[in-house]
Amino acid sequence: MMSRDISADVHRSLGISLFNKVWDLIDKKDRSPEETEVMINAAHASLYHWLQVGEPINFARGEWQVSRVYSLCARSEPALHHAENSLRICRENSIGDFDLAFAYEAVARAYSVSQQSEKTHEFLALANEAAKEIKKEDDRKYFLSELKSIRL
């Protein structure tokens, strides 16, 4: 349900802007504790705005980003929750390619954070299998490089 006081264009603009802000903070090597809190809150806010006006692919990507943020913060329970949401949305909406592969990656990363190596390996295998379906070679290479960053 879209809030009545914010237009669809504003929701979309905020969703994009916040998503990009989170990316900047994810990539920042020397993030302060305050910036980490901003990163968490901005990821949730971006997802909220996409839930108002987006489509399932936006929801899957937003859930993936929230999961990545929590994995970076070593908070496995919310990381796994949002990763599973991303994967569920992909499956329910027949979203494949890059997004499905990254949903599996998010689940594997969340299990890695919680030091559940068997589950980590299980979802890494699923992610590698999904990578074969990524159509663009550059996207596939990027995905595989991200997959290698998961600690076993």
Side-chain angles (χ1 to χ4, degrees), residues 17 28 85 112 151:
S17 176
K28 188 170 183 187
N85 283 348
S112 173
R151 295 180 191 190

Side-chain angles (χ1 to χ4, degrees), residues 2-146:
M2 186 167 53
S3 62
R4 296 175 189 195
D5 55 337
I6 299 175
S7 72
D9 287 341
V10 170
H11 276 299
R12 192 170 286 102
S13 177
L14 288 169
I16 292 168
S17 176
L18 289 161
F19 190 89
N20 291 336
K21 171 70 173 174
V22 173
W23 265 119
D24 291 342
L25 290 168
I26 285 172
D27 289 339
K28 188 170 183 187
K29 301 292 183 221
D30 57 349
R31 210 174 28 254
S32 70
E34 293 80 13
E35 289 170 321
T36 297
E37 289 298 316
V38 167
M39 181 177 67
I40 292 168
N41 291 322
H44 280 284
S46 175
L47 176 57
Y48 167 79
H49 289 291
W50 280 117
L51 289 171
Q52 305 309 303
V53 295
E55 298 181 13
I57 197 162
N58 305 113
F59 310 156
R61 290 174 180 175
E63 292 284 1
W64 173 87
Q65 190 180 60
V66 173
S67 176
R68 173 57 75 91
V69 164
Y70 279 120
S71 287
L72 286 172
C73 297
R75 294 179 59 189
S76 62
E77 190 279 324
L80 183 59
H81 172 80
H82 291 282
E84 288 175 335
N85 283 348
S86 180
L87 183 56
R88 177 185 47 76
I89 292 164
C90 286
R91 287 176 172 164
E92 288 176 356
N93 294 279
S94 301
I95 298 169
D97 201 84
F98 192 82
D99 295 285
L100 179 61
F102 266 106
Y104 284 123
E105 173 270 344
V107 176
R109 190 176 299 278
Y111 277 125
S112 173
V113 169
S114 67
Q115 300 177 354
Q116 295 185 50
S117 63
E118 189 174 311
K119 287 295 223 175
T120 302
H121 285 287
E122 175 187 340
F123 281 90
L124 281 172
L126 291 167
N128 273 303
E129 200 57 35
K132 295 175 185 176
E133 302 301 318
I134 298 174
K135 292 175 183 75
K136 293 182 183 175
E137 185 177 340
D138 287 346
D139 287 348
R140 189 172 44 259
K141 285 180 181 178
Y142 174 72
F143 172 76
L144 291 171
S145 73
E146 285 293 299

